[in-house]
Amino acid sequence: ISGILTRALKADTVGTRSSSDGIAFYDEVLGIPKCSSDGTSCDTGDLVIGRGIIYPEPNHPNTLGTTCIDGTSGEPSDESVDRIIVSSESGDYLMEDGRAIITATVNCWADGYANDYVHFYYTSNEVDNADWNFIERIQCAGGGQQTLTTSYTLPKGSSHAVRVSIRHMETDLTENDDSCGFGSFTDNDDVAFTVTTAGSIPTISPTTPNPTRAQTLSPTESSSTPEPTRAQTLSPTESPPTPEPTRAQTLSPTESPPTPEPTRAQTLSPTESPF
């Protein structure tokens, strides 16, 4: 009983809210919860908890175009879809041609869950109520709250929606291809979400390391050349230096070699006698 009261109180206090971090808001135009931004998942939270007027479900019936009316028989412990999460199987953004997982939290009838089946559908046009595609139906494995999952490939387009419909097959005689159940214990709920298209996937350019001068030079920049020494490179008009000669090595043409000063014993003038 306490669990039933908790679910009912949540349903009574839920209102319109904004989409953030994959949490849906109630879209008054579509009449269903919606995630309007690209992301890895979309979660209705408690926007669809309950069934119709039974406990009640906020903004019921929460189906596109309000064309699928919820059953009005039973009690809060009977069949209902309480939460829907659509998430990317890879963990990346929900993208065209990628795989998506639908996780549904449902309430199955404790005394007759063997006849309770959950049907899953998808559409790639959230405005076209007729374009629903059957994915799978799963039988409830027990009474009370159950978590069931299925998966499918996201088709082309950016505006998508999925539908989860729980039906007690003794009173709901619709077939799998019937996207809308009409039994007295049936609950149908939708959620719309945005899918990243091929043209809107962000691209990241690889980072190029800053080259060193040894790696890359600009077209007008030459590699540095060490400054030559005079022995390595001389200008065309420059002659190599000549060491200053000693007087014994080189004399000018007009210069005679020096004559040593004679001693008196060596040389005498003609008028000079030796004594």
Side-chain angles (χ1 to χ4, degrees), residues 5-15 46 49 54-58:
L5 290 175
T6 300
R7 292 170 63 207
L9 287 172
K10 283 185 177 181
D12 289 339
T13 57
V14 171
D46 48 15
I49 191 170
I54 297 301
Y55 14 113
E57 176 186 348

Side-chain angles (χ1 to χ4, degrees), residues 197-252:
T197 59
S200 63
I201 299 174
T203 57
I204 303 175
S205 302
T207 303
T208 303
N210 189 24
T212 63
R213 287 181 63 86
Q215 293 173 317
T216 305
L217 296 175
S218 64
T220 59
E221 184 180 9
S222 60
S223 59
S224 58
T225 303
E227 184 177 352
T229 63
R230 290 181 64 86
Q232 292 174 315
T233 305
L234 297 174
S235 65
T237 59
E238 186 179 7
S239 60
T242 304
E244 184 178 353
T246 63
R247 290 185 68 86
Q249 290 174 318
T250 305
L251 296 174
S252 65

Side-chain angles (χ1 to χ4, degrees), residues 146-194:
Q146 305 287 318
T147 300
L148 307 177
T149 63
T150 189
S151 62
Y152 73 106
T153 300
L154 293 164
K156 300 293 184 182
S158 60
S159 299
H160 292 234
V162 299
R163 171 171 292 171
V164 180
S165 175
I166 186 170
R167 307 170 188 178
H168 186 71
M169 300 311 293
E170 288 182 329
T171 59
D172 192 324
L173 303 180
T174 53
E175 301 293 334
N176 292 339
D177 291 338
D178 297 322
S179 61
C180 184
F182 288 103
S184 56
F185 296 94
T186 295
D187 188 16
N188 308 286
D189 289 320
D190 301 345
V191 60
F193 56 96
T194 301

